[in-house]
Amino acid sequence: MATSRLLPYGLSLPAVAALTVFMAAPLVMVLMLSFNSFTMATGIQPGFNFKNYVEVLGDNYFHTIFGRTFVLALWVTGISILIGAPEAYVIHRMRPPWRSIFLLVILGPLLVSVIVRTLGWAVLLGRGGMVNVALVKLGILERPMEFMYSFTGMTVALVHVLVPFMVLSVWTSLRRLDPAVEAAGVSLGASQATVLWRIVLPQAMPGILSGSLIVFTLAASAFATPAIVGGRRLKVASMAAYDEFLNSQNWPLGAAIVVVLLVAMVAIVMGYNRIVEGRFKQVFQ
Amino acid sequence: MTRTNGSLALAFHGLFIAFILAPLVVVILVAFTPESYLSIPTTKWSLRWFEAIWSSDFIPAFWISVQVATASATVALLLSVPAAIATARFQFAGRQVLSAYFLSPLMVPHVVLGVALLRFMAEMGLTSNMGALIMGHVIIVLPFTLRLALAALTGMNRHCEWAAWSLGASQWTVFRRVTLPMIVPGLAGGWLLAFIQSFDELTMTVFVASPGTTTLPVRMFQYITDNIDPMVASISTALIVLALVLMAVMERVYGLERLLAGKGEG
């Protein structure tokens, strides 16, 4: 067939143009904005200085916010591994009709707005909510505790929102696990624990690693759940940017916050990939 | 070795499923309360909070969301079909770079995209412009429509295309009469996933929403940060039912776990 050599470029052009105009160019605008300055009286002043970065990187207020965001994302990732990976294995071992039913139950909530899922936690975690009632009845708590606007509440709600990604990711890599290998391990005299540790875990590892990356990045940039459950008292980075843009109107400072967030995330993702690929090359082949 | 779960594993599984379902069940129960505060109805059930939705400003917000989601899913699909054909069917310099560029919106947090869109709209004098909001959503859903279009193109049997070529059909005719009909199911799945993604998008939209472009998630977010009452629970219940219907459709046609790999927003 006679194909013009330019055809693939022409076909790609509309998508490239849309991405460039509505994503790449605006991102450059944000970067430039972050070097401007701002005062209450005069608003945004054009110019080129690093004042906003000095403030974001040097101020204790922002250290707390970025530290909280990072620790929150670590906790959410850790808990998601601890409960999501075993759940994926349980599902992997289920018989056909049950397997797809429970996969639907776990993945289905991804189709429901994050707001709806977070609202459920706001109801459950309030002072009169069911978590409190249950904990008091069981004698674990003496009197109701405030989980709303607490770090614990934020972590629990965010784990709920993101753990389906871990289950999906681990389950996908377990699908390649041949049951005969497990059976061979057992027939050669390995205990159940040895089979889990030496056969299942290494096979699940690629799923755990890529699931961790998804959960961590989504947790570190999450907005709705921390904003509703954590509120203004426990600001995370995205909430701080929201406040600078829509409440304080200090856009250059807000721009610096998101640039720092973006750079930190890209650095973490790239560093993680490098470490993981170096150490688990044989797993990823 | 039998491939069944022990009782310990099943107990863990029960707790996990309870954890997943608890917040959704609670929202549904609270929606039926006759009281004007959050409570789980025990003796009396009422539909008053579902009736209250009709006269609230959630209805216009719902329609804005439907418009934005329909438009952005459609535009994203129209952009991604030719792009997918280029990367799946042609070998050319820069192909790898282009593929990475098409999927790059997945790497940028929505909060960053929201700030960028806000700045863009302010600079261009497009504040509260519906078209700009839709294009913002196009950026977010483009990777999903593209991935499903690519999957459809690489998964189809190419012998039909070759047969048509060898019989003298032009490239355009082959696409229109052979390729397109074969990839339509995949494209429809991508459109649906993009629609849901856009319909639920909050983090980016909250930065640029103005009175005329307040989508349903943004309106709900604003409402919840002021006060939580049974009305948001009843709207949430309606959304859960909607998601159940969509889920049934998508599971029937595509298998949900295949579609959902990679979707997400916290």
Side-chain angles (χ1 to χ4, degrees), chain A residues 1-2, chain B residues 158-171 173-174 178:
Chain A
M1 68 190 180
Chain B
R158 296 204 58 193
H159 290 111
C160 304
E161 287 181 351
W162 292 329
W165 272 322
S166 71
L167 292 170
S170 74
Q171 219 164 4
T173 310
V174 172
V178 180

Side-chain angles (χ1 to χ4, degrees), chain B residues 10 19 33 41 47 56 105 110 112 114 117 143-144 148 167 175 185 199 210 238-239 256:
Chain B
L10 287 179
F19 170 69
T33 185
L47 292 175
S56 71
H110 287 195
V112 180
L117 188 64
F144 298 93
L148 273 115
L167 292 170
F175 172 73
F199 190 84
S210 58
L239 289 179
L256 204 57

Side-chain angles (χ1 to χ4, degrees), chain B residues 11 39 76 84 98 129 134 136 146 148 178 200 202 209 226:
Chain B
S39 68
L98 274 186
N129 180 294
I134 289 169
L146 186 87
L148 273 115
V178 180
D200 286 344
L202 168 78
D226 279 347

